[in-house]
Amino acid sequence: MKNSKHRFFTSESVTEGHPDKMCDQISDAILDAILAKDPCARVACETVVCTGTVFVMGQITTTAVVDYASIVRDTVRNMGYTRAKYGFDADSCGVIISLDKQSPDIAIGVDRSNEYNTRGEILDMYGAGDQGMMFGYACNETPEYMPMAIMLAHKISQRLADVRKYGLVDYLRPDGKCQVTVEYDEKGTPCRVDTIVLSTQHSADVETSVIAQDMINLVIRKVVPLNLLDEETKYYINPTGRFEIGGPAADSGLTGRKIIVDTYGGYCAHGGGAFSGKDPTKVDRSATYMARYICKNIVAAGLADKIQLQISYAIGRSKPVSIDVNTYGTGKVADSALSAIIGDEFDLRPRAIIDKFNLQRPIYLATASYGHFGRAEFPWEQLDKADDLKKYINN
């Protein structure tokens, strides 16, 4: 019987062969190819996949000349979709490209801020590319300063892909997803994994019982700490029984449809803006990265055990319209004081964020699978401000 004072939280991740993630990767692969030749390009690229076809659409202003169709096919091929029986074939699929330039009404507010000083001089080079609110989050549940459920879900999904790519079994196909439920004790500390749901596309000639045994032994138990698993942990492997038809043959995909997978697994609020296919002048992407960086450094400094940060912008304005902090009662200083500290310690103008993380370079394809946060290779995950922020603990 479950302890009535305990709570359970669930997060989901998907593999790189999931149709929505296929689209995220194609959009970010195109972004990377353009930024490699034109760092100042403006890119808003979205992708749709369905049976046998990839549609690429959006607004791109650039001096770069790239072969969009080849980028699409190479990206799909690297996911493992190389035969029609897998649900898609990179070499035979149709590729339709429909791209236009960025609207001049948007460009005018991005190219220069609409803010002026008393002498009529422009205050900043870049304004925000759109209005909107962006959220960041961090907590001390895991070494990555991420909620445990989403980190475990990502690790399981990535391990599932690795088992396929390395040929540890021969029946796996690219599509798959994972869901992890973590149990929290009375103090709000993760104490065990209650349930793992793992669905993986597979060939027709493998028994369901073999898949279940392999997924537990070769995937789950290889990445989930064994002290979090017990005799009551429930495993649901391909709960419908079979998953032979997958990828775009089973479901259409769309860029930006996995925004909760991309962020914190539903553990905090989300502003609604997607990341993939957008160049860093879009604050949907760059300001969300900055918000994560701020939150992670605040928790690492000991100013809070967990924190949600909201930053909002108006199109054409460089400085945020608002900053809001919620430490859920764990802050060592008041939330209002932390909001002021963030405004003083961090430069939240779009141009400053781009420069801080060197964002006008081809780094984005790697973000399009297994989450944008909690991975040390990304510049917004650095902890270079934590020591400096410790000075506020005793103030």
Side-chain angles (χ1 to χ4, degrees), residues 29-38 60 62-71 97 99:
I30 289 172
L31 172 62
D32 278 355
I34 292 171
L35 290 180
K37 297 181 177 181
D38 179 12
I60 297 177
T62 182
T63 59
V65 177
V66 299
D67 186 340
Y68 294 111
S70 292
I71 293 169
I97 309 295
L99 296 169

PDB file of all heavy atoms in Angstrom, residues 29-38 60 62-71 97 99:
ATOM      1  N   ALA A  29      19.244  20.781 -37.731  1.00  0.00           N
ATOM      2  CA  ALA A  29      20.329  20.486 -38.667  1.00  0.00           C
ATOM      3  C   ALA A  29      20.404  21.559 -39.746  1.00  0.00           C
ATOM      4  O   ALA A  29      21.498  21.988 -40.154  1.00  0.00           O
ATOM      5  CB  ALA A  29      20.123  19.106 -39.296  1.00  0.00           C
ATOM      6  N   ILE A  30      19.255  22.014 -40.212  1.00  0.00           N
ATOM      7  CA  ILE A  30      19.226  23.108 -41.188  1.00  0.00           C
ATOM      8  C   ILE A  30      19.757  24.390 -40.560  1.00  0.00           C
ATOM      9  O   ILE A  30      20.561  25.117 -41.162  1.00  0.00           O
ATOM     10  CB  ILE A  30      17.798  23.295 -41.728  1.00  0.00           C
ATOM     11  CG1 ILE A  30      17.433  22.119 -42.636  1.00  0.00           C
ATOM     12  CG2 ILE A  30      17.651  24.623 -42.462  1.00  0.00           C
ATOM     13  CD1 ILE A  30      15.982  22.092 -43.065  1.00  0.00           C
ATOM     14  N   LEU A  31      19.339  24.680 -39.315  1.00  0.00           N
ATOM     15  CA  LEU A  31      19.856  25.852 -38.610  1.00  0.00           C
ATOM     16  C   LEU A  31      21.371  25.795 -38.490  1.00  0.00           C
ATOM     17  O   LEU A  31      22.065  26.786 -38.768  1.00  0.00           O
ATOM     18  CB  LEU A  31      19.223  25.933 -37.217  1.00  0.00           C
ATOM     19  CG  LEU A  31      19.780  26.991 -36.264  1.00  0.00           C
ATOM     20  CD1 LEU A  31      19.569  28.389 -36.818  1.00  0.00           C
ATOM     21  CD2 LEU A  31      19.137  26.856 -34.888  1.00  0.00           C
ATOM     22  N   ASP A  32      21.908  24.648 -38.089  1.00  0.00           N
ATOM     23  CA  ASP A  32      23.362  24.511 -37.941  1.00  0.00           C
ATOM     24  C   ASP A  32      24.087  24.726 -39.264  1.00  0.00           C
ATOM     25  O   ASP A  32      25.135  25.399 -39.323  1.00  0.00           O
ATOM     26  CB  ASP A  32      23.708  23.123 -37.398  1.00  0.00           C
ATOM     27  CG  ASP A  32      23.556  23.025 -35.892  1.00  0.00           C
ATOM     28  OD1 ASP A  32      23.275  24.053 -35.248  1.00  0.00           O
ATOM     29  OD2 ASP A  32      23.723  21.912 -35.343  1.00  0.00           O
ATOM     30  N   ALA A  33      23.562  24.155 -40.329  1.00  0.00           N
ATOM     31  CA  ALA A  33      24.212  24.297 -41.637  1.00  0.00           C
ATOM     32  C   ALA A  33      24.254  25.759 -42.069  1.00  0.00           C
ATOM     33  O   ALA A  33      25.242  26.212 -42.668  1.00  0.00           O
ATOM     34  CB  ALA A  33      23.469  23.456 -42.674  1.00  0.00           C
ATOM     35  N   ILE A  34      23.212  26.502 -41.771  1.00  0.00           N
ATOM     36  CA  ILE A  34      23.175  27.924 -42.131  1.00  0.00           C
ATOM     37  C   ILE A  34      24.118  28.729 -41.251  1.00  0.00           C
ATOM     38  O   ILE A  34      24.899  29.558 -41.741  1.00  0.00           O
ATOM     39  CB  ILE A  34      21.734  28.450 -42.037  1.00  0.00           C
ATOM     40  CG1 ILE A  34      20.869  27.807 -43.128  1.00  0.00           C
ATOM     41  CG2 ILE A  34      21.698  29.969 -42.144  1.00  0.00           C
ATOM     42  CD1 ILE A  34      19.390  28.097 -42.991  1.00  0.00           C
ATOM     43  N   LEU A  35      24.082  28.503 -39.931  1.00  0.00           N
ATOM     44  CA  LEU A  35      24.945  29.264 -39.023  1.00  0.00           C
ATOM     45  C   LEU A  35      26.424  28.999 -39.283  1.00  0.00           C
ATOM     46  O   LEU A  35      27.271  29.867 -39.029  1.00  0.00           O
ATOM     47  CB  LEU A  35      24.603  28.926 -37.574  1.00  0.00           C
ATOM     48  CG  LEU A  35      23.250  29.428 -37.052  1.00  0.00           C
ATOM     49  CD1 LEU A  35      23.058  29.002 -35.603  1.00  0.00           C
ATOM     50  CD2 LEU A  35      23.129  30.943 -37.181  1.00  0.00           C
ATOM     51  N   ALA A  36      26.753  27.814 -39.766  1.00  0.00           N
ATOM     52  CA  ALA A  36      28.156  27.506 -40.074  1.00  0.00           C
ATOM     53  C   ALA A  36      28.695  28.423 -41.165  1.00  0.00           C
ATOM     54  O   ALA A  36      29.896  28.714 -41.212  1.00  0.00           O
ATOM     55  CB  ALA A  36      28.281  26.043 -40.505  1.00  0.00           C
ATOM     56  N   LYS A  37      27.825  28.908 -42.037  1.00  0.00           N
ATOM     57  CA  LYS A  37      28.243  29.788 -43.130  1.00  0.00           C
ATOM     58  C   LYS A  37      27.855  31.246 -42.893  1.00  0.00           C
ATOM     59  O   LYS A  37      28.496  32.152 -43.437  1.00  0.00           O
ATOM     60  CB  LYS A  37      27.615  29.310 -44.442  1.00  0.00           C
ATOM     61  CG  LYS A  37      28.065  27.923 -44.878  1.00  0.00           C
ATOM     62  CD  LYS A  37      27.417  27.525 -46.198  1.00  0.00           C
ATOM     63  CE  LYS A  37      27.906  26.172 -46.674  1.00  0.00           C
ATOM     64  NZ  LYS A  37      27.284  25.789 -47.970  1.00  0.00           N
ATOM     65  N   ASP A  38      26.797  31.469 -42.118  1.00  0.00           N
ATOM     66  CA  ASP A  38      26.271  32.825 -41.911  1.00  0.00           C
ATOM     67  C   ASP A  38      25.798  32.952 -40.460  1.00  0.00           C
ATOM     68  O   ASP A  38      24.619  32.729 -40.168  1.00  0.00           O
ATOM     69  CB  ASP A  38      25.129  33.089 -42.879  1.00  0.00           C
ATOM     70  CG  ASP A  38      24.506  34.473 -42.703  1.00  0.00           C
ATOM     71  OD1 ASP A  38      25.113  35.297 -41.980  1.00  0.00           O
ATOM     72  OD2 ASP A  38      23.427  34.715 -43.280  1.00  0.00           O
ATOM     73  N   ILE A  60      13.507  32.158 -43.598  1.00  0.00           N
ATOM     74  CA  ILE A  60      14.960  32.159 -43.437  1.00  0.00           C
ATOM     75  C   ILE A  60      15.536  33.315 -44.245  1.00  0.00           C
ATOM     76  O   ILE A  60      15.275  33.434 -45.449  1.00  0.00           O
ATOM     77  CB  ILE A  60      15.581  30.830 -43.905  1.00  0.00           C
ATOM     78  CG1 ILE A  60      15.070  29.675 -43.033  1.00  0.00           C
ATOM     79  CG2 ILE A  60      17.107  30.901 -43.853  1.00  0.00           C
ATOM     80  CD1 ILE A  60      15.570  28.298 -43.461  1.00  0.00           C
ATOM     81  N   THR A  62      19.236  34.706 -45.120  1.00  0.00           N
ATOM     82  CA  THR A  62      20.640  34.330 -44.985  1.00  0.00           C
ATOM     83  C   THR A  62      21.387  34.541 -46.294  1.00  0.00           C
ATOM     84  O   THR A  62      20.787  34.533 -47.379  1.00  0.00           O
ATOM     85  CB  THR A  62      20.774  32.844 -44.568  1.00  0.00           C
ATOM     86  OG1 THR A  62      22.153  32.513 -44.395  1.00  0.00           O
ATOM     87  CG2 THR A  62      20.157  31.911 -45.601  1.00  0.00           C
ATOM     88  N   THR A  63      22.697  34.702 -46.175  1.00  0.00           N
ATOM     89  CA  THR A  63      23.565  34.728 -47.349  1.00  0.00           C
ATOM     90  C   THR A  63      24.095  33.338 -47.674  1.00  0.00           C
ATOM     91  O   THR A  63      24.728  33.137 -48.711  1.00  0.00           O
ATOM     92  CB  THR A  63      24.765  35.661 -47.099  1.00  0.00           C
ATOM     93  OG1 THR A  63      25.503  35.185 -45.958  1.00  0.00           O
ATOM     94  CG2 THR A  63      24.299  37.088 -46.837  1.00  0.00           C
ATOM     95  N   ALA A  64      23.856  32.394 -46.792  1.00  0.00           N
ATOM     96  CA  ALA A  64      24.370  31.039 -46.972  1.00  0.00           C
ATOM     97  C   ALA A  64      23.593  30.298 -48.059  1.00  0.00           C
ATOM     98  O   ALA A  64      22.379  30.450 -48.189  1.00  0.00           O
ATOM     99  CB  ALA A  64      24.291  30.266 -45.659  1.00  0.00           C
ATOM    100  N   VAL A  65      24.315  29.491 -48.789  1.00  0.00           N
ATOM    101  CA  VAL A  65      23.702  28.595 -49.771  1.00  0.00           C
ATOM    102  C   VAL A  65      23.871  27.176 -49.250  1.00  0.00           C
ATOM    103  O   VAL A  65      24.993  26.690 -49.082  1.00  0.00           O
ATOM    104  CB  VAL A  65      24.361  28.743 -51.157  1.00  0.00           C
ATOM    105  CG1 VAL A  65      23.757  27.740 -52.135  1.00  0.00           C
ATOM    106  CG2 VAL A  65      24.201  30.158 -51.677  1.00  0.00           C
ATOM    107  N   VAL A  66      22.757  26.530 -48.966  1.00  0.00           N
ATOM    108  CA  VAL A  66      22.809  25.168 -48.431  1.00  0.00           C
ATOM    109  C   VAL A  66      21.869  24.275 -49.230  1.00  0.00           C
ATOM    110  O   VAL A  66      20.875  24.736 -49.806  1.00  0.00           O
ATOM    111  CB  VAL A  66      22.435  25.123 -46.929  1.00  0.00           C
ATOM    112  CG1 VAL A  66      23.409  25.947 -46.103  1.00  0.00           C
ATOM    113  CG2 VAL A  66      21.018  25.606 -46.707  1.00  0.00           C
ATOM    114  N   ASP A  67      22.188  23.012 -49.245  1.00  0.00           N
ATOM    115  CA  ASP A  67      21.372  22.020 -49.942  1.00  0.00           C
ATOM    116  C   ASP A  67      20.392  21.436 -48.931  1.00  0.00           C
ATOM    117  O   ASP A  67      20.707  20.493 -48.199  1.00  0.00           O
ATOM    118  CB  ASP A  67      22.281  20.922 -50.518  1.00  0.00           C
ATOM    119  CG  ASP A  67      21.523  19.925 -51.374  1.00  0.00           C
ATOM    120  OD1 ASP A  67      20.283  19.842 -51.236  1.00  0.00           O
ATOM    121  OD2 ASP A  67      22.171  19.209 -52.159  1.00  0.00           O
ATOM    122  N   TYR A  68      19.215  22.015 -48.857  1.00  0.00           N
ATOM    123  CA  TYR A  68      18.249  21.624 -47.831  1.00  0.00           C
ATOM    124  C   TYR A  68      17.861  20.154 -47.943  1.00  0.00           C
ATOM    125  O   TYR A  68      17.752  19.444 -46.936  1.00  0.00           O
ATOM    126  CB  TYR A  68      17.000  22.507 -47.922  1.00  0.00           C
ATOM    127  CG  TYR A  68      17.256  23.959 -47.577  1.00  0.00           C
ATOM    128  CD1 TYR A  68      17.186  24.931 -48.551  1.00  0.00           C
ATOM    129  CD2 TYR A  68      17.565  24.341 -46.277  1.00  0.00           C
ATOM    130  CE1 TYR A  68      17.414  26.274 -48.245  1.00  0.00           C
ATOM    131  CE2 TYR A  68      17.799  25.674 -45.956  1.00  0.00           C
ATOM    132  CZ  TYR A  68      17.727  26.632 -46.947  1.00  0.00           C
ATOM    133  OH  TYR A  68      17.955  27.945 -46.642  1.00  0.00           O
ATOM    134  N   ALA A  69      17.636  19.679 -49.148  1.00  0.00           N
ATOM    135  CA  ALA A  69      17.207  18.292 -49.316  1.00  0.00           C
ATOM    136  C   ALA A  69      18.269  17.322 -48.825  1.00  0.00           C
ATOM    137  O   ALA A  69      17.955  16.308 -48.177  1.00  0.00           O
ATOM    138  CB  ALA A  69      16.868  18.028 -50.782  1.00  0.00           C
ATOM    139  N   SER A  70      19.532  17.610 -49.102  1.00  0.00           N
ATOM    140  CA  SER A  70      20.610  16.722 -48.642  1.00  0.00           C
ATOM    141  C   SER A  70      20.716  16.721 -47.127  1.00  0.00           C
ATOM    142  O   SER A  70      20.966  15.676 -46.513  1.00  0.00           O
ATOM    143  CB  SER A  70      21.944  17.151 -49.263  1.00  0.00           C
ATOM    144  OG  SER A  70      21.945  16.925 -50.659  1.00  0.00           O
ATOM    145  N   ILE A  71      20.522  17.896 -46.511  1.00  0.00           N
ATOM    146  CA  ILE A  71      20.554  17.968 -45.052  1.00  0.00           C
ATOM    147  C   ILE A  71      19.434  17.120 -44.463  1.00  0.00           C
ATOM    148  O   ILE A  71      19.639  16.374 -43.492  1.00  0.00           O
ATOM    149  CB  ILE A  71      20.434  19.430 -44.586  1.00  0.00           C
ATOM    150  CG1 ILE A  71      21.662  20.221 -44.996  1.00  0.00           C
ATOM    151  CG2 ILE A  71      20.244  19.503 -43.062  1.00  0.00           C
ATOM    152  CD1 ILE A  71      21.510  21.717 -44.823  1.00  0.00           C
ATOM    153  N   ILE A  97      10.277  21.592 -49.948  1.00  0.00           N
ATOM    154  CA  ILE A  97      10.834  22.775 -49.293  1.00  0.00           C
ATOM    155  C   ILE A  97       9.979  23.991 -49.627  1.00  0.00           C
ATOM    156  O   ILE A  97       9.721  24.280 -50.796  1.00  0.00           O
ATOM    157  CB  ILE A  97      12.291  23.043 -49.743  1.00  0.00           C
ATOM    158  CG1 ILE A  97      13.155  21.781 -49.605  1.00  0.00           C
ATOM    159  CG2 ILE A  97      12.876  24.206 -48.956  1.00  0.00           C
ATOM    160  CD1 ILE A  97      13.356  21.313 -48.199  1.00  0.00           C
ATOM    161  N   LEU A  99      10.196  27.836 -48.236  1.00  0.00           N
ATOM    162  CA  LEU A  99      10.848  28.798 -47.348  1.00  0.00           C
ATOM    163  C   LEU A  99      10.737  30.209 -47.917  1.00  0.00           C
ATOM    164  O   LEU A  99      10.835  30.408 -49.128  1.00  0.00           O
ATOM    165  CB  LEU A  99      12.326  28.438 -47.157  1.00  0.00           C
ATOM    166  CG  LEU A  99      12.611  27.097 -46.472  1.00  0.00           C
ATOM    167  CD1 LEU A  99      14.079  26.734 -46.595  1.00  0.00           C
ATOM    168  CD2 LEU A  99      12.190  27.145 -45.015  1.00  0.00           C
TER     169      LEU A  99
END
